[in-house]
Amino acid sequence: MPLALLALAVGAFGIGTTEFVMMGLLPDVAGDLHLSIPTAGHLVSAYALGVVIGAPLLAALTARMPRRRVLIGLMVLFVVGNAVSAAAPDYHWLMAARFVSGLPHGAFFGVGAVVATSLVAPERKARSVSLMFLGLTVANVIGVPVATAMGQQLGWRATFLAVSAIGLAAIAALAGLVPADHGHGAAVGVRGELRALKSLPVWLALGTTVAGFGALFAAYSYITPMLTDAAGFAESSVTLLLALFGVGATIGNLLGGRLADHSLRATLFGGLTSLGVVLAFFPLLMRTEWSAPLGVLLLGLTAFVTGSPLQLMVMEKAASAPSLASSANQGAFNLANAGGAWIGGLALAAGLGTTSPALAGAALAVLGLAVAGIAFAVDRRREPVRAGRLVAGSAAPAAEAESVRG
């Protein structure tokens, strides 16, 4: 695999670390800035809002620029956001800095996925995307726990300085490893990128992402009370158990990339089905201390098997202008995060039990399967139309040539 994929993975590692580390640092930030925990929690929302707004906006605005330059510029914005977070004098500055930190997130993964797939042979596209996403999953295993511990020992500002340093390393790697002449956005421009979002298959692919990863976050958002109240673990054990989720996600991500290169459709349907089954049995798995860790591992594995296939599916549906659609898919992941957590919370609020969010997630996985099925059915119905246009397009020049010869 090209070394340029390593540069993308380093950037993904930094982004994954800064995205999730705030959740572990909330008590420290709240205490230092004299905030309540719920108020400090808005800093997580500010980052997510930056992702949703920045993904399509920055991808569209940079559509004509060389992609290496775009990736470096996005990481510069990432470094600035995290450096300002470290120096923020009050809550309002920190809120603005977290929003800025989130802006490049979606566009980096979106443009990065386009770069990754263009660096390899067609039969290795999904694997290349999974290697970029490897930085994100490893961040959950190593980056977030280490950064959280650093923040608790040295202060939360030190964490954001460290993340800024990771961003600088990513800039150096991108400048040194991604080919300089790679990927001029050239002809399509902003209008061409926006036209890609008018396609029904693109929206169905994005809908599959929202439902599929909404299934994950419906359960994962409430994994701590499941582990403590249902499985009986002490709160001190939760961090180690969540590292198991990261291990499962890393394995699932690599496995999904490899399988999707053989069959995108089978991997996507198999992953969503497996995720639905794991979530359906999650209440049983959470009953004992020996089965709960297995459930956490399987949750990460089955969810992230679908990560690369979903990204590649969106890119294929918008093949003429993939950068915006690919970046929009990152916004869909964040919408899944918020929407899944909300739906899981409804199950809890209805008094259905501590593990009920997992069953809500299973229902979302079934919905994801249904949307994916519709997407592939639409594709099958459009294939004869596309084939007819190709035949007609090739027949016309042939007829003209025949008339000239006659």
Side-chain angles (χ1 to χ4, degrees):
M1 284 290 179
L3 285 176
L5 296 177
L6 175 62
L8 295 173
V10 173
F13 178 81
I15 289 173
T17 300
T18 202
E19 178 181 16
F20 294 108
V21 75
M22 179 58 77
M23 300 169 190
L25 294 178
L26 278 182
D28 302 272
V29 173
D32 186 49
L33 298 181
H34 309 292
L35 307 169
S36 67
I37 293 292
T39 300
H42 294 159
L43 296 168
V44 177
S45 302
Y47 184 93
L49 182 62
V51 176
V52 173
I53 293 175
L57 180 64
L58 294 179
L61 291 177
T62 59
R64 291 184 179 272
M65 295 175 60
R67 291 191 177 115
R68 188 183 77 157
R69 188 183 302 171
V70 172
L71 290 170
I72 292 173
L74 292 171
M75 288 311 300
V76 169
L77 184 59
F78 171 84
V79 170
V80 169
N82 282 280
V84 174
S85 295
D90 56 37
Y91 170 70
H92 299 290
W93 272 96
L94 184 56
M95 176 78 78
R98 288 297 290 169
F99 174 79
V100 171
S101 299
L103 286 174
H105 177 129
F108 182 87
F109 281 109
V111 176
V114 176
V115 171
T117 56
S118 68
L119 292 171
V120 298
E123 66 272 12
R124 299 173 74 89
K125 284 185 174 182
R127 206 174 310 179
S128 72
V129 173
S130 73
L131 289 175
M132 179 185 68
F133 281 138
L134 183 63
L136 183 63
T137 57
V138 171
N140 281 283
V141 182
I142 300 173
V144 173
V146 171
T148 301
M150 176 185 292
Q152 292 169 345
Q153 295 298 318
L154 303 177
W156 61 270
R157 297 178 189 276
T159 294
F160 291 111
L161 284 176
V163 172
S164 297
I166 295 172
L168 291 174
I171 291 171
L174 290 167
L177 299 177
V178 176
D181 59 344
H182 175 74
H184 291 269
V188 293
V190 176
R191 291 185 179 179
E193 293 279 352
L194 290 174
R195 276 197 299 271
L197 290 185
K198 294 182 179 180
S199 167
L200 176 60
V202 170
W203 281 103
L204 288 172
L206 293 173
T208 305
T209 297
V210 172
F213 266 76
L216 164 65
F217 287 111
Y220 188 68
S221 300
Y222 305 97
I223 192 69
T224 296
M226 290 188 205
L227 290 170
T228 55
D229 298 346
F233 283 98
E235 288 188 6
S236 58
S237 304
V238 171
T239 300
L240 181 60
L241 290 167
L242 293 185
L244 275 179
F245 173 86
V247 171
T250 300
I251 296 171
N253 172 56
L254 293 174
L255 181 63
R258 186 171 292 272
L259 292 175
D261 279 330
H262 294 288
S263 176
L264 177 63
R265 183 180 306 183
T267 305
L268 185 56
F269 278 104
L272 287 172
T273 300
S274 300
L275 177 60
V277 170
V278 168
L279 288 168
F281 282 95
F282 216 67
L284 294 176
L285 292 169
M286 288 295 110
R287 286 186 177 181
T288 64
E289 289 191 356
W290 68 266
S291 60
L294 175 63
V296 173
L297 180 73
L298 289 175
L299 180 63
L301 193 156
T302 55
F304 278 83
V305 159
T306 64
S308 299
L310 283 169
Q311 189 74 27
L312 199 59
M313 180 183 177
V314 171
M315 291 167 62
E316 288 184 351
K317 304 311 175 193
S320 61
S323 293
L324 179 56
S326 181
S327 300
N329 198 45
Q330 296 303 310
F333 279 120
N334 277 266
L335 184 59
N337 190 337
W342 177 68
I343 291 172
L346 290 179
L348 279 178
L352 300 179
T354 306
T355 57
S356 60
L359 298 179
L364 285 173
V366 172
L367 177 61
L369 276 168
V371 177
I374 293 171
F376 284 115
V378 168
D379 269 359
R380 281 197 299 270
R381 294 185 66 178
R382 290 189 174 203
E383 280 173 3
V385 175
R386 285 196 295 265
R389 288 175 179 169
L390 286 173
V391 170
S394 61
E400 291 174 6
E402 185 64 32
S403 66
V404 170
R405 285 194 298 270

